[in-house]
Amino acid sequence: MPYSSLPIKILAVDDEIDLQRLITLQFRREIRGKEVEFLFALSGEEALNLVGENPEIDILLCDINMPGMDGITLLSHLKEKSTMMKIIMVTAYDNMNNIRAAMNGGAFDFITKPIDFSDLKATVEKASKELKQLKAGEEARKQLPITQRVLAETDEKARHLEELNQFKNQFFTNISHEFRTPLTVIRGMLGQIDENPDRWLEKGKKLIRRNTNQLLDLVNQILDLQKLESGKLDLKLIQGDIVSFLNYLSESFQSLAEQKGISVSFEATPDEIWMDYDAEKILRIFSNLFSNAIKFTPEGGNISINISIGSNSENENKLLAFSIRDTGVGIPEEKLPSIFDRFYQVDGSATREGEGTGIGLSLTQELVQLMSGKITVESKTGEGTIFTISLPITNEAPRENNTDIQLEQAIASVPSVNDSEIILDSSERKDLPSLLIIEDNPDVAEYMVTCLQDDYALSVARDGEEGIKKALSMSPDLIISDVMMPKKDGFEVCDTLKNDDRTSHIPIVLLTAKADHQSRIQGLRRGADAYLAKPFNKEELFVILENLLELRKRLQLRYANKQIADLDDSTEFQQEDEFLKRIFAYLDEHITHASFSVPSLCKDIGMSRSNLHRKVTALTGESIGELVKKYQMKKAEHLLQRTDQAIADIAYQLGFNDPSYFSRRFTQEFGVSPRKMREG
């Protein structure tokens, strides 16, 4: 049966039940004529299941704003499942951010609410025509006399292109992160210098210079790759003592290693080797390999550089062999064959150690090959890695010493040491709200400290794991966390802290170079209270933090002078309501027991006294001791008004040893004595 005679199958997804009736009514003629067939779903999850059961669905009509899985998220899942389905999104006309996100995500078209059904029919007709053309072309392709061998080759090429496309997508994500991070520091410190040049000029110049060099180095690597591909990268050979040049480079990089507590050794046999080499290319190779060794070697490890002369077994020509060995984490055996592939990263996760784009080793290999050399790698997980480079020794270029100019050019390209010290001048200020910064990039952390230190009592953690530990121990008022960090990323920080009673109330701002819509949605779903993209605007950060502190004040007002039973059923504060309900339930049962104490309450809740104190203070503005005393007074008021017990008996029942002290405390709380409360 030709495709044109089949009905167009449309899946409509909307959490409004009335939409099914409206669509059926508006398309009744087309449904009777079997031109269209409708399926309906009330959620994104249900829609995914229906698509799995009905792969022949042609068009998806989907509301963007739905509870649970929204339309943007559903779109991303469906584009992975089907490249032919046409997706029409429904949204409010003024919501341009959603419209743009949907179209960027691959939506075919969009219509606005309230739905104009004549517009919807025209959009469906347009989508149907394009589908018919696509399916006709697919049918014609299937009829071509393609042999099994050609088909297999085509599939293999398609698979390879898809893998390359994935690597490129990862590369552009990483390159975005690599650019945004130093740009955050550069733009931010320029603003700080403009505001207060006397205070920030010297520090700002250091940070700007260091991060500008990082950007320049990154751009140069990309340009070198482009020149290599086009065959326009030429060798600029000189004849000199390469041992002294490599030794100079290793000494230039040594401060970077020492900063991390890594020792460096250099050995060469013989101690002088004159040969033709390109100083700039050797520097690039050495820089990439040595920087990786530092990045993946833990504190206390060592890096050794060895230089020797070997020979080519084929023609007995002499070869320079130099190796860089580290005692780092190593590379898994199954990943060794891919490490020189362009855009490939051994660890592509958000928690990988260090940053990177996936082009460094690829560029290194191509530069070695440009010099007619060879690079090999040996590695064992947990023991370390050895990169060995062999280069032919020739003596044809003009002979010259390692001039000062050559060495100055080399050292100018060496990454500079981060010699900054983050001084938290306000960390002990009890009058300021406390803020924990979780950021693995020292320059970004330092810039944020310069912005916030006058207004917040600051503490800094260098990765997600350290950040979680600090948050649990200090219970800050606010947290700012990067997303891409070693050990635990920002999403894990959110998950952990938002699901722990000790820290669930703390607002978390996620700060990241991943500024795409999907990353924002992921962060907010993992519990983040706000999401800010690098490079961020300082004023915007301050507004977000002020708004989150205002939310804390709302929490305290919510619980001030209220019994837990008086609280409305707000989903916004559900987790904190449940926590206080546990405390009041325990007090209800145990406040009149002689054995009652705050330590017993802490044991029942499962928190230390300090953690419980910080949590209760954050929620109510009162210490746990004050909360218990206020509860005692509320209980006393209840007993005075509802029972005939003597005032002294009520005092003893509530744990007061002195009825006179009880009366004074009661009068202080309510403004009237217990006797007058009962009388009046």
Side-chain angles (χ1 to χ4, degrees):
M1 181 182 293
Y3 172 74
S4 58
S5 66
L6 293 175
I8 294 293
K9 184 170 283 192
I10 303 174
L11 172 58
V13 189
D14 198 299
D15 58 324
E16 295 180 12
I17 300 176
D18 288 342
L19 183 66
Q20 181 173 345
R21 180 181 59 81
L22 287 172
I23 286 180
T24 304
L25 183 65
Q26 293 291 334
F27 283 85
R28 60 186 182 279
R29 182 180 301 170
E30 290 84 356
I31 293 172
R32 286 198 202 103
K34 295 186 177 181
E35 298 172 26
V36 296
E37 176 184 346
F38 278 95
L39 298 174
F40 297 92
L42 295 175
S43 68
E45 291 84 353
E46 184 182 356
L48 276 179
N49 291 333
L50 282 173
V51 170
E53 296 167 0
N54 300 271
E56 68 277 14
I57 290 174
D58 301 299
I59 296 173
L60 180 91
L61 178 67
C62 178
D63 188 12
I64 285 183
N65 297 306
M66 294 186 295
M69 182 184 293
D70 61 21
I72 301 294
T73 306
L74 176 61
L75 172 65
S76 66
H77 287 304
L78 291 178
K79 294 308 288 184
E80 295 172 1
K81 290 177 176 292
S82 171
T83 57
M84 197 168 288
M85 180 191 299
K86 298 300 174 186
I87 300 174
I88 302 169
M89 307 301 286
V90 182
T91 186
Y93 181 79
D94 60 348
N95 199 338
M96 291 305 298
N97 287 335
N98 276 342
I99 292 172
R100 189 179 296 110
M103 301 306 289
N104 289 340
F108 173 75
D109 208 341
F110 71 93
I111 58 173
T112 58
K113 283 188 174 182
I115 296 176
D116 180 341
F117 281 89
S118 62
D119 181 29
L120 174 58
K121 288 183 178 182
T123 305
V124 168
E125 184 177 354
K126 180 174 68 172
S128 301
K129 286 180 179 178
E130 186 164 323
L131 273 170
K132 288 177 182 179
Q133 293 173 352
L134 287 172
K135 292 198 173 186
E138 182 70 10
E139 195 66 29
R141 189 190 69 80
K142 290 179 180 178
Q143 303 304 318
L144 291 174
I146 302 177
T147 67
Q148 192 65 32
R149 180 184 60 79
V150 173
L151 186 60
E153 290 176 356
T154 303
D155 287 344
E156 178 62 23
K157 288 179 181 177
R159 185 189 64 77
H160 178 72
L161 288 173
E162 178 61 27
E163 287 180 356
L164 183 60
N165 188 53
Q166 290 176 4
F167 282 137
K168 284 185 175 180
N169 287 339
Q170 184 63 46
F171 165 73
F172 286 119
T173 299
N174 293 340
I175 207 75
S176 170
H177 187 276
E178 295 293 303
F179 274 110
R180 284 177 178 272
T181 298
L183 284 173
T184 297
V185 179
I186 294 169
R187 192 173 80 169
M189 289 312 300
L190 284 172
Q192 294 292 84
I193 293 170
D194 283 342
E195 288 181 16
N196 194 333
D198 292 337
R199 185 179 184 183
W200 299 121
L201 181 60
E202 289 306 314
K203 183 184 288 288
K205 282 164 59 178
K206 286 183 181 179
L207 289 172
I208 290 169
R209 185 179 297 111
R210 181 159 56 236
N211 284 272
T212 301
N213 287 340
Q214 289 178 13
L215 283 177
L216 181 61
D217 184 65
L218 183 60
V219 170
N220 285 338
Q221 289 199 56
I222 295 170
L223 290 175
D224 283 349
L225 272 178
Q226 189 272 331
K227 290 177 182 177
L228 279 165
E229 286 184 342
S230 61
K232 295 180 180 178
L233 189 63
D234 299 323
L235 291 175
K236 300 174 182 177
L237 296 175
I238 62 166
Q239 187 179 163
D241 179 12
I242 196 167
V243 172
S244 63
F245 182 67
L246 289 172
N247 187 36
Y248 185 83
L249 289 181
S250 70
E251 291 176 352
S252 302
F253 277 84
Q254 193 155 350
S255 56
L256 287 174
E258 290 174 351
Q259 187 183 50
K260 195 176 175 183
I262 299 170
S263 62
V264 178
S265 63
F266 183 93
E267 293 183 9
T269 306
D271 57 9
E272 187 176 282
I273 302 174
W274 284 75
M275 63 177 285
D276 302 334
Y277 66 92
D278 184 320
E280 183 182 341
K281 308 299 186 297
I282 294 293
L283 168 65
R284 173 69 64 198
I285 292 166
F286 186 93
S287 176
N288 282 336
L289 295 180
F290 199 90
S291 297
N292 277 345
I294 293 176
K295 187 187 302 182
F296 297 110
T297 300
E299 184 176 352
N302 61 77
I303 299 171
S304 58
I305 302 154
N306 290 277
I307 301 174
S308 61
I309 294 179
S311 62
N312 189 321
S313 58
E314 295 178 1
N315 51 30
E316 297 185 354
N317 288 339
K318 289 184 177 181
L319 295 174
L320 171 80
F322 82 86
S323 64
I324 296 179
R325 177 197 299 261
D326 65 62
T327 58
V329 297
I331 302 169
E333 184 178 355
E334 68 275 10
K335 295 187 176 182
L336 283 174
S338 304
I339 64 169
F340 294 113
D341 293 348
R342 193 168 301 178
F343 314 127
Y344 181 80
Q345 288 186 307
V346 174
D347 182 2
S349 69
T351 56
R352 66 180 184 269
E353 290 284 346
E355 301 166 344
T357 59
I359 62 175
L361 287 179
S362 173
L363 175 60
T364 297
Q365 183 187 53
E366 294 195 40
L367 289 175
V368 171
Q369 291 173 347
L370 179 67
M371 294 185 284
S372 303
K374 181 180 179 182
I375 181 170
T376 58
V377 58
E378 302 172 52
S379 188
K380 200 166 185 178
T381 305
E383 296 185 10
T385 302
I386 308 171
F387 283 94
T388 302
I389 293 172
S390 301
L391 296 174
I393 295 177
T394 60
N395 301 96
E396 299 173 359
R399 181 164 178 155
E400 58 182 78
N401 293 316
N402 290 328
T403 65
D404 292 339
I405 295 176
Q406 177 190 354
L407 295 176
E408 285 175 8
Q409 290 174 340
I411 193 61
S413 301
V414 174
S416 57
V417 177
N418 187 336
D419 55 358
S420 59
E421 293 183 7
I422 298 176
I423 302 174
L424 306 181
D425 296 329
S426 60
S427 58
E428 300 302 322
R429 291 280 301 276
K430 302 300 181 184
D431 57 322
L432 297 174
S434 57
L435 190 155
L436 172 62
I437 298 170
I438 311 174
E439 170 63 62
D440 65 313
N441 185 292
D443 286 351
V444 175
E446 183 170 12
Y447 163 59
M448 293 177 68
V449 168
T450 68
C451 293
L452 301 166
Q453 63 184 4
D454 293 336
D455 299 279
Y456 296 90
L458 300 176
S459 183
V460 177
R462 299 300 189 188
D463 56 60
E465 188 172 270
E466 182 187 349
I468 290 171
K469 290 178 181 177
K470 282 196 173 185
L472 292 172
S473 66
M474 64 179 286
S475 190
D477 297 317
L478 297 164
I479 294 173
I480 301 175
S481 175
D482 191 16
V483 169
M484 296 180 69
M485 296 183 293
K487 298 181 181 178
K488 291 187 182 294
D489 63 25
F491 298 138
E492 291 177 280
V493 170
C494 279
D495 271 344
T496 302
L497 298 182
K498 288 296 185 179
N499 288 291
D500 192 305
D501 281 339
R502 293 170 289 179
T503 51
S504 59
H505 63 285
I506 302 174
I508 299 176
V509 180
L510 282 184
L511 179 67
T512 182
K514 297 180 73 174
D516 60 286
H517 177 85
Q518 201 61 38
S519 295
R520 286 176 176 266
I521 294 296
Q522 185 181 3
L524 295 172
R525 283 196 172 141
R526 300 287 282 274
D529 296 87
Y531 199 98
L532 197 58
K534 297 176 184 177
F536 59 87
N537 180 279
K538 175 183 172 181
E539 185 178 356
E540 182 181 2
L541 174 62
F542 269 87
V543 170
I544 288 173
L545 295 177
E546 288 167 7
N547 288 341
L548 292 176
L549 284 176
E550 187 62 33
L551 178 65
R552 173 174 169 170
K553 292 178 182 177
R554 285 173 55 201
L555 265 176
Q556 293 180 349
L557 288 173
R558 175 178 175 79
Y559 299 126
N561 299 317
K562 279 189 177 183
Q563 294 283 25
I564 200 71
D566 298 332
L567 298 173
D568 56 71
D569 294 329
S570 170
T571 56
E572 183 180 7
F573 304 114
Q574 181 178 3
Q575 190 170 359
E576 310 317 326
D577 286 353
E578 290 297 326
F579 175 76
L580 285 180
K581 283 178 183 178
R582 287 171 56 200
I583 291 179
F584 282 108
Y586 183 86
L587 294 177
D588 273 335
E589 185 176 349
H590 297 90
I591 194 71
T592 58
H593 295 181
S595 61
F596 170 77
S597 64
V598 171
S600 66
L601 170 62
C602 295
K603 184 176 181 181
D604 184 80
I605 296 298
M607 288 188 188
S608 68
R609 180 162 186 156
S610 58
N611 279 329
L612 184 60
H613 169 78
R614 284 192 289 262
K615 174 85 174 184
V616 169
T617 302
L619 293 181
T620 67
E622 300 171 333
S623 69
I624 183 62
E626 291 169 336
L627 183 73
V628 170
K629 288 177 181 178
K630 183 170 285 190
Y631 182 85
Q632 287 174 321
M633 293 299 101
K634 288 283 186 181
K635 188 74 172 178
E637 179 188 28
H638 174 84
L639 293 173
L640 285 167
Q641 293 178 338
R642 306 287 179 88
T643 73
D644 295 328
Q645 289 179 263
I647 293 174
D649 290 341
I650 291 174
Y652 292 131
Q653 184 179 340
L654 292 175
F656 289 88
N657 296 323
D658 182 358
S660 297
Y661 174 71
F662 165 73
S663 294
R664 289 196 301 273
R665 184 75 178 80
F666 189 92
T667 303
Q668 183 182 357
E669 181 71 26
F670 294 106
V672 295
S673 67
R675 189 175 302 281
K676 287 186 178 180
M677 172 72 75
R678 173 165 279 176
E679 291 173 353

